[in-house]
Amino acid sequence: MGSIVWSGLVDGAVFALLALGFNIIFSTTRILNFAQGEFLALGALLSYSLTVDHHLPVPAVLACVVLAMVAMGLVVERLVVLPIRLSGSSYAWIIATIAVAVTAENAMVVPFGRDPVRPPGLVAGNAFTLSGAPESWQTVLIIVAALVIVGLYEAFLAFTIYGRAFRATAHSLDITELMGIDTGLVIKASFVVSAIITGIAGVLVAPVTFADTSMGLRYTISGFVAVIVGGMGSSLGALVGGFLLGLVTAVAAVKISPGWANVIAYAALGLVLLLRPNGIVSRAAVH
Amino acid sequence: MAEMRRRLDELRRPSGPQQRAQRALYAAAGVGLVGLLVLPLLQDQLQVNDFLFFFITASMITILVTTALNLCMGYTGLLSIVHTGLFGVGAYATGILATQAHVNTWLSMLLGVVAATSAGVVIAAVSLRARALYFGMITLTFDLIIAGVATNGGRLTGADTGLFGVPQPQLAGNDLGTRGFYYLTLALTVLTLLAVRNLMRSRTGRSFMAIRESADTAAALGIPAYSTQILAFAVSATIAGAAGAVYVTLNGFVTPQSADLSGALILFIGVLLGGTATVIGPVLGIGVIATIQHYMEVTAPNYQQLIFGAVLLAAMMLVPAGIVGTWKRSRLGSLEEPEPPSSPIGNLVEALPAERGPALRLTGIVKRFGGVLALDRVDLEVVTGSIHGLIGPNGSGKSTLVSVATAFLRPDEGSVELFGEPGPRRPHLTARRGMVRVFQSPHIFERLTVLENAMVGLHLESRQRLPASVLRMPSFERDERRLRGLALSRLEEVGLRQIAMRPASVLSHGQKRLLEVARSLGARPRLVILDEPATGLAAHEVLALAALLRRLKRLGLTLLVIEHNVPFVMSVADRVTVLNEGRVLIEGEPALVQASSEVREAYFGTLEAAGE
């Protein structure tokens, strides 16, 4: 049971980072980015390619992934925001983000192929054993990193001038614009920050799971469930939703079956949407 | 016979380039259809292989699902992300019945459609408990659940690998075959498109579109939003399920991928690229994307989804209105439909009861929002056949009082009486009780024509039934002509008849206001509540509005006018109630109220100080 809970926490940490990524873009744009998991997929696949094919050291890999995420964040922002602005349909955002997700997933096939890959851990060795099963340092790193990243993001919001611009934009785009803040720039920045966090989640998770081009959509849906369950716009909610989803699916996967675990998670999501549409830890409502 | 003569007259009309362009389009569509009909007969001459028929059949199945999605998303404004799931329910139910219960394939298909319809009703009934965006997300979770059940269904659904060996339906003892399916699907597609076209030009279709534009306004006109949206979703699910039933028997198999999210992309492309809320849009959208798909299957099979995504993004940016929308906005496509012939029928309003008791009586109304006391024991009596003015400064509770009277809000204390009986409990029931509300900011259905707007107002007047509408039965045609006549007579009354066929979005603010009044008359109300009707109108429009209100009063209507524009209210009202800070300050004849020192102090004083 101990190892089940541990693996649930590890999955949950990754889901929490995805939920945080969802939150960051949602707060400035009111868009739920269905291409969110593609940042994670690119981070994971790139880290494999750089470590295994190009033998780069860990800091260089991280630096390259961050640069790639800046670029991808900016490209995705254009591909999502432009169609919404030009089409004028109230549902444009959902279709645009799904289109970006499918396009990104299939574009990644060109350099990376379709085969699942698994890079070595950023840190080697096993940390401890739980009910007879060894747990690697990598899994410890994932959980710690998730908590640190969420903490850093909250500190960024609270203590920096850019963080205040983020919060102001989240509150009201028009008024923030009137205050002389370039909200277009804030939106671009939110895509970049969100992409970096989610890309790093990809680097972290790749060594404990298999990375392939189709992983993006799977993680998008998990992150989506986590963010809805936790509540939009709340970092605490992202953690709660992420860990809750991770634990429930890990336990259900062992006790019932991995396939049904997902179905149960989706049914739970539907219930949360119906009964507590603003999530368990709610701050902002979706308009 | 009269109908035929009318059509002939239309053809003989002097024709401009627009008419010629439209006739060319109709001709092209006719040629295309005939071409599809005779293609199998010319197979040998043209040397086309069976794969082409299979491909066209598959594309028509996609067109069916896209049409279903368009009905929800385009016409009714319900973002559904479960249409691949509904398609999957139709396919799996048919397949399971045919392979495992050994039910006759035709019957299995029929039951598969029933299963999809039932699933659609359940999904809509549950999802509609949530608001707009959450509705879409809940449908998405239903899609994930359907795909998840298919994947984990073990022997019943064939799990990951899918359900195989579904037998074809029999025709005269033989399998239907490629050509049989081709004709079956062609017939199904053409009939579905005709049915959707007919549906959208009927009372039911207009109520779908009215809800898309504004559920509150639709409710104020007597359209029950919840059940109407479930109906739209059910019809849509039926079409998607039928497509699934044909798909599984044509291919002989279905896999969980058919039901999951990945297939939804092409449906969205079909709707957006073709043109949302248009009948032919899905055909054109899927036609384009399927042709690209067809050629890519040979040249670049691995990059199909990549191209799909890119085409969708490009389409949203380059042709945001879709193919049909772009065409209609172009010079050749911008054909105004000819004005329908009308025969003005009946009176504008029903004969009124002789008694002169109160039309509306509010007694001791108290309404709190949290700690704020918005209305404090307000009494209001509107005499039948009069124009009653309700004025008061901002925040005095006027709009809250109207919302209480029309059942949009429930009072904490006090009672509402309408024509001597207890007030309605739900907003959409107010119209049935002879009371309609004209909202503060014009709540016009922007994407409907002026005439359609007026006809939505006749929702309660209409006697159309869904099957008769879809089949264009004589009873429907009679009713539709009658409604059109009534709507046009109301537009005549407010002076908008000449622009009846224009989209409502092009009207000026004042015209929208007038249209809203005309639309509200559709429900044959006895009491019309006008919420700040003069706001934002030009001076001459205010005069026209005052004249219209007096005319409506002469016709026997009772009017309650909530206003900021004091001179306007004083010029039209028989009695005036002044509300201040949630209480009635004074009530009486305009001259009396105007003379009151209390009112001057509390209300006019501030205006005079502001230099009014």
Side-chain angles (χ1 to χ4, degrees):
Chain A
M1 194 65 198
S3 71
I4 299 170
V5 170
W6 184 253
S7 79
L9 289 175
V10 174
D11 287 345
V14 179
F15 299 156
L17 285 178
L18 269 155
L20 179 65
F22 266 110
N23 262 341
I24 293 170
I25 290 176
F26 178 81
S27 66
T28 58
T29 59
R30 299 280 176 251
I31 289 169
L32 276 171
N33 177 24
F34 280 93
Q36 196 67 32
E38 307 309 322
F39 295 133
L40 181 137
L42 182 62
L45 291 165
L46 201 57
S47 75
Y48 173 83
S49 166
L50 294 174
T51 351
V52 176
D53 298 340
H54 298 94
H55 310 291
L56 289 185
V58 171
V61 170
L62 283 176
C64 287
V65 167
V66 168
L67 281 179
M69 285 304 133
V70 172
M72 188 174 175
L74 290 172
V75 170
V76 170
E77 191 269 344
R78 282 292 89 188
L79 288 179
V80 170
V81 171
L82 274 185
I84 293 171
R85 192 169 298 156
L86 292 172
S87 86
S89 154
S90 51
Y91 297 133
W93 64 270
I94 201 163
I95 299 158
T97 56
I98 291 177
V100 168
V102 172
T103 313
E105 177 183 332
N106 290 282
M108 278 188 276
V109 175
V110 180
F112 299 114
R114 287 184 194 276
D115 294 331
V117 293
R118 188 170 184 173
L122 300 178
V123 286
N126 291 327
F128 53 89
T129 50
L130 267 176
S131 43
E135 304 296 347
S136 64
W137 276 113
Q138 180 72 23
T139 58
V140 178
L141 176 66
I142 290 174
I143 294 175
V144 172
L147 295 172
V148 169
I149 288 172
V150 171
L152 283 176
Y153 179 69
E154 278 294 299
F156 161 77
L157 284 188
F159 300 121
T160 69
I161 181 95
Y162 305 103
R164 276 188 218 119
F166 265 55
R167 274 156 56 206
T169 309
H171 189 72
S172 165
L173 195 82
D174 294 339
I175 295 174
T176 310
E177 186 87 19
L178 286 174
M179 293 296 119
I181 293 168
D182 183 350
T183 52
L185 203 61
V186 173
I187 289 173
K188 282 195 182 69
S190 68
F191 271 83
V192 168
V193 172
S194 172
I196 292 173
I197 290 176
T198 314
I200 288 176
V203 177
L204 290 169
V205 77
V208 300
T209 181
F210 281 97
D212 67 90
T213 49
S214 72
M215 77 193 296
L217 188 63
R218 290 199 304 274
Y219 276 96
T220 295
I221 290 170
S222 299
F224 169 76
V225 176
V227 79
I228 297 293
V229 168
M232 305 298 311
S234 155
S235 295
L236 180 63
L239 284 176
V240 171
F243 282 120
L244 203 60
L245 176 67
L247 286 173
V248 168
T249 44
V251 172
V254 175
K255 298 285 171 197
I256 308 165
S257 84
W260 285 113
N262 284 331
V263 178
I264 291 167
Y266 304 144
L269 168 67
L271 277 179
V272 169
L273 279 169
L274 282 173
L275 304 177
R276 259 191 88 83
N278 292 339
I280 294 173
V281 183
S282 64
R283 200 186 279 173
V286 178
H287 298 297
Chain B
M1 202 55 212
E3 174 75 354
M4 195 182 258
R5 203 173 303 132
R6 189 176 69 80
R7 295 245 161 105
L8 278 174
D9 280 348
E10 254 170 49
L11 285 177
R12 279 200 216 98
R13 266 187 207 173
S15 61
Q18 281 105 343
Q19 277 85 355
R20 279 203 296 277
Q22 197 184 33
R23 247 177 269 153
L25 277 186
Y26 280 139
V31 168
L33 185 58
V34 171
L36 284 176
L37 278 171
V38 299
L39 188 62
L41 308 176
L42 302 173
Q43 187 178 6
D44 296 333
Q45 284 86 340
L46 296 172
Q47 295 186 323
V48 287
N49 56 18
D50 268 358
F51 180 73
L52 181 70
F53 294 105
F54 186 80
F55 165 73
I56 296 177
T57 310
S59 301
M60 288 190 294
I61 291 174
T62 314
I63 287 173
L64 281 172
V65 191
T66 310
T67 300
L69 179 66
N70 192 29
L71 194 62
C72 267
M73 198 177 89
Y75 284 111
T76 320
L78 294 171
L79 173 67
S80 162
I81 318 183
V82 71
H83 268 68
T84 49
L86 294 169
F87 172 84
V89 169
Y92 269 101
T94 305
I96 290 168
L97 285 169
T99 55
Q100 304 189 9
H102 304 291
V103 177
N104 171 284
T105 308
W106 287 115
L107 185 59
S108 299
M109 291 169 80
L110 192 66
L111 293 173
V113 175
V114 172
T117 310
S118 320
V121 170
V122 171
I123 290 171
V126 173
S127 308
L128 280 168
R129 299 276 166 202
R131 284 170 296 136
L133 178 57
Y134 288 118
F135 175 86
M137 294 191 214
I138 298 177
T139 61
L140 170 62
T141 62
F142 272 110
D143 192 60
L144 296 172
I145 291 171
I146 291 170
V149 169
T151 313
N152 297 289
R155 228 170 46 78
L156 187 67
T157 62
D160 280 321
T161 46
L163 193 66
F164 281 82
V166 181
Q168 289 203 357
Q170 305 280 308
L171 195 65
N174 293 314
D175 276 358
L176 199 53
T178 309
R179 282 194 194 187
F181 267 108
Y182 174 84
Y183 280 119
L184 172 70
T185 318
L186 184 60
L188 199 59
T189 309
V190 171
L191 290 176
T192 303
L193 291 175
L194 279 176
V196 169
R197 171 187 169 277
N198 289 350
L199 183 65
M200 284 308 143
R201 295 182 182 186
S202 76
R203 171 200 199 220
T204 312
R206 281 189 295 268
S207 66
F208 290 177
M209 292 186 277
I211 286 172
R212 173 191 70 197
E213 303 290 305
S214 162
D216 277 352
T217 313
L221 296 167
I223 298 168
Y226 187 63
S227 57
T228 307
Q229 284 169 316
I230 289 181
L231 175 67
F233 210 86
V235 174
S236 179
T238 307
I239 299 172
V246 174
Y247 172 90
V248 71
T249 47
L250 168 69
N251 288 295
F253 68 88
V254 56
T255 63
Q257 280 76 42
S258 303
D260 75 12
L261 195 60
S262 55
L265 192 62
I266 192 169
L267 307 181
F268 285 128
I269 299 181
V271 172
L272 284 184
L273 182 62
T276 48
T278 60
V279 174
I280 211 72
V283 180
L284 297 176
I286 294 298
V288 169
I289 198 75
T291 309
I292 296 176
Q293 187 181 15
H294 186 57
Y295 285 104
M296 276 189 354
E297 238 149 44
V298 190
T299 52
N302 286 329
Y303 300 112
Q304 196 171 306
Q305 290 283 322
L306 179 62
I307 303 285
F308 276 9
V311 167
L312 179 51
L313 287 170
M316 289 176 80
M317 290 190 249
L318 302 176
V319 279
I323 298 171
V324 177
T326 309
W327 165 253
K328 280 190 174 160
R329 281 182 205 174
S330 71
R331 201 180 57 80
L332 279 180
S334 60
L335 178 69
E336 273 187 23
E337 282 185 47
E339 188 176 304
S342 82
S343 40
I345 303 167
N347 298 320
L348 202 53
V349 273
E350 259 175 12
L352 286 147
E355 98 274 23
R356 308 283 290 173
L360 176 70
R361 180 190 276 155
L362 307 175
T363 321
I365 300 291
V366 175
K367 181 71 199 172
R368 291 184 200 87
F369 294 108
V372 182
L373 191 60
L375 294 173
D376 185 9
R377 286 163 299 172
V378 172
D379 297 323
L380 180 75
E381 198 173 290
V382 180
V383 177
T384 303
S386 73
I387 299 182
H388 196 109
L390 179 63
I391 60 174
N394 270 331
S396 59
K398 303 186 298 288
S399 290
T400 310
L401 191 64
V402 173
S403 294
V404 167
T406 50
F408 275 91
L409 288 177
R410 208 158 276 180
D412 296 319
E413 286 169 39
S415 66
V416 179
E417 254 181 61
L418 187 61
F419 299 107
E421 285 176 27
R425 309 290 292 171
R426 303 276 303 280
H428 74 263
L429 298 175
T430 58
R432 280 168 217 265
R433 298 278 304 276
M435 170 167 63
V436 289
R437 171 184 187 179
V438 179
F439 287 89
Q440 192 166 342
S441 52
H443 282 39
I444 290 298
F445 305 127
E446 299 267 341
R447 284 190 280 172
L448 272 58
T449 64
V450 172
L451 179 62
E452 281 170 333
N453 264 280
M455 288 175 80
V456 172
L458 292 158
H459 186 81
L460 296 177
E461 183 72 21
S462 168
R463 287 192 281 274
Q464 293 171 16
R465 294 262 164 267
L466 184 62
S469 309
V470 170
L471 298 173
R472 298 259 128 176
M473 311 248 269
S475 68
F476 163 81
E477 297 277 6
R478 264 198 310 279
D479 191 63
E480 186 76 356
R481 264 201 303 282
R482 187 177 65 90
L483 292 187
R484 211 176 286 151
L486 284 171
L488 285 169
S489 73
R490 277 142 178 74
L491 291 175
E492 179 96 63
E493 190 68 33
V494 299
L496 292 177
R497 162 123 195 210
Q498 273 63 44
I499 50 173
M501 302 315 286
R502 299 251 178 94
S505 54
V506 306
L507 299 188
S508 74
H509 184 79
Q511 287 173 322
K512 283 180 183 171
R513 177 66 69 195
L514 293 174
L515 173 56
E516 214 176 346
V517 174
R519 189 182 61 193
S520 71
L521 297 177
R524 286 189 193 270
R526 291 184 284 163
L527 170 64
V528 180
I529 300 180
L530 297 128
D531 203 345
E532 306 201 1
T535 308
L537 297 196
H540 71 275
E541 289 175 326
V542 174
L543 290 179
L545 180 70
L548 173 62
L549 296 190
R550 288 196 202 98
R551 202 156 65 241
L552 294 178
K553 180 187 152 191
R554 275 200 300 282
L555 288 166
L557 272 171
T558 311
L559 300 158
L560 174 59
V561 182
I562 293 93
E563 249 314 324
H564 264 312
N565 186 334
V566 178
F568 169 73
V569 175
M570 295 303 175
S571 71
V572 296
D574 299 307
R575 290 187 79 78
V576 173
T577 301
V578 183
L579 217 54
N580 192 31
E581 293 177 349
R583 290 167 177 232
V584 175
L585 201 61
I586 189 170
E587 200 247 277
E589 286 171 14
L592 206 74
V593 170
Q594 214 151 7
S596 149
S597 59
E598 270 178 317
V599 176
R600 285 190 167 274
E601 206 167 298
Y603 192 64
F604 301 115
T606 56
L607 286 178
E608 274 159 16
E612 189 96 344

